[in-house]
Amino acid sequence: MSDPLADMVTLLQPVARHSKLVSGAGTWRVKRQETGQPFYCVVVEGSSRLSAEDVQIILREGDFILIPAAHSFTMSSLDDGLSPGIDPLTVTMLADETRHGDPESVPSARLLVGHFAFGSPDAALLVSLLPRIIHIRGDSRLSAIVQLVTDEARAERPGKNMILARLLEVLLVEALRSNAGDKAPLGILRGLSDARLSLAIRRLHENPAREWTVEQLAGEAALSRSAFFNRFRRAVGLAPMEYLISWRMALAKNLLRHDEIGIQEIAERVGYGSASAFSTAFTRFVGLPPSRYAEQARTV
């Protein structure tokens, strides 16, 4: 049976940008304005405060944070008092790390931080189904994966880009499944945490080209049509058919980036009987006909 979480992460196509070791000493603060790309960090030592998405989180040693689409956030010391003569925004490049705050004091926090990008042309849609912030406490597996990502990003070894891409996929899957459960926020993780809905979502991902109906998906979940429809929308945030169309279009966008695949074949792969039916649905959903979208995607 298909694994929707792995399907989604693979389609997101994570690409490494940079990662580094940072430390903070005295009173320190880092303000970042991002462009909606993913940010992650793991606290190696000490503690700090993260302010993002209208929430404040106290981070302790071993904590992991992932923001799938970071726009504006602040990392700072827990001490709000000012260090005499030291601007909290001071940045000093040391031999092995970037120091924030007082370059002479003993660090109150050390963190491995990283930024990466999603190569998928439909990343915004997929990210909208993920939690805004993922905060996991004391997960040694995640810490180890982040260390591997950081080490690989710093080195210049053969196969670096491929290794980083695979490590980032593993990092995302591990972070997302560690955040799953009935308390997961609205989205795909909540849906996959529901034993009944998970069966239907997995079947849908296993065969997106099938002419699915709500009744058929409800049957996979062993629920009545109305119970399934309401339960799905409450968990995932989309109606079942909206999710199906969104996933089909995400697959189609990815396929359109490859020159060797024609429109008719793509139509059949994502559940449309003809190229014209697919073109009509794609244009309605995306705002561009498939051929035009493919031209633009290949020139980016």
Side-chain angles (χ1 to χ4, degrees):
M1 189 177 289
S2 180
D3 186 337
L5 193 55
D7 292 345
M8 191 168 290
V9 169
T10 300
L11 201 60
L12 280 169
Q13 301 169 26
V15 179
R17 291 177 59 192
H18 64 269
S19 58
K20 60 184 178 179
L21 179 65
V22 304
S23 62
T27 300
W28 58 277
R29 186 165 63 252
V30 182
K31 293 183 177 180
R32 296 297 302 262
Q33 295 293 328
E34 300 291 336
T35 57
Q37 298 293 352
F39 165 81
Y40 64 89
C41 82
V42 62
V43 182
V44 179
E45 299 174 11
S47 57
S48 65
R49 177 184 289 109
L50 170 72
S51 300
E53 302 285 353
D54 301 321
V55 299
Q56 288 199 6
I57 302 172
I58 303 300
L59 302 177
R60 307 290 184 188
E61 184 174 323
D63 282 12
F64 173 85
I65 284 286
L66 171 66
I67 307 177
H71 291 281
S72 175
F73 66 91
T74 301
M75 298 283 291
S76 63
S77 56
L78 300 185
D79 179 14
D80 292 328
L82 294 177
S83 300
I86 300 293
D87 185 334
L89 296 176
T90 299
V91 179
T92 306
M93 303 305 295
L94 302 180
D96 298 318
E97 63 188 33
T98 302
R99 171 65 57 82
H100 296 277
D102 190 343
E104 304 298 331
S105 294
V106 176
S108 59
R110 276 196 171 90
L111 310 95
L112 284 171
V113 304
H115 300 264
F116 57 97
F118 290 132
S120 169
D122 210 32
L125 169 65
L126 300 175
V127 168
S128 71
L129 296 169
L130 303 179
R132 294 187 303 163
I133 297 180
I134 295 171
H135 176 208
I136 300 166
R137 293 195 180 276
D139 190 316
S140 59
R141 287 167 58 89
L142 279 169
S143 298
I145 296 168
V146 171
Q147 183 65 63
L148 285 172
V149 171
T150 303
D151 291 345
E152 190 64 35
R154 287 178 170 179
E156 290 298 333
R157 293 188 284 253
K160 173 181 176 178
N161 291 337
M162 185 192 74
I163 294 295
L164 276 173
R166 299 293 85 77
L167 284 173
L168 287 173
E169 288 180 357
V170 172
L171 175 65
L172 276 170
V173 171
E174 185 68 25
L176 292 170
R177 72 181 185 181
S178 296
N179 197 60
D182 56 9
K183 293 184 179 180
L186 193 75
I188 188 64
L189 295 183
R190 176 86 66 83
L192 291 174
S193 298
D194 183 311
R196 294 288 185 88
L197 296 183
S198 177
L199 291 171
I201 295 171
R202 289 175 185 276
R203 290 298 185 192
L204 183 155
H205 276 251
E206 187 178 65
N207 188 4
R210 179 176 170 179
E211 294 183 8
W212 289 106
T213 65
V214 175
E215 287 82 1
Q216 289 170 336
L217 289 170
E220 296 289 345
L223 293 168
S224 70
R225 183 189 185 283
S226 60
F228 171 76
F229 181 91
N230 293 328
R231 191 158 160 173
F232 192 101
R233 187 165 56 179
R234 284 197 304 268
V236 180
L238 295 172
M241 290 299 104
E242 288 180 299
Y243 181 85
L244 174 60
I245 292 171
S246 297
W247 181 243
R248 283 175 169 173
M249 293 304 155
L251 293 173
K253 282 184 175 183
N254 186 55
L255 292 170
L256 284 166
R257 302 178 77 187
H258 303 287
D259 291 315
E260 68 276 9
I261 303 176
I263 300 295
Q264 179 61 41
E265 182 179 349
I266 293 173
E268 293 171 358
R269 287 195 190 185
V270 298
Y272 293 88
S274 67
S276 60
F278 166 66
S279 295
T280 299
F282 188 91
T283 303
R284 185 184 304 117
F285 189 88
V286 178
L288 289 173
S291 56
R292 182 75 176 277
Y293 178 87
E295 291 174 3
Q296 293 188 1
R298 292 166 190 165
T299 57
V300 174

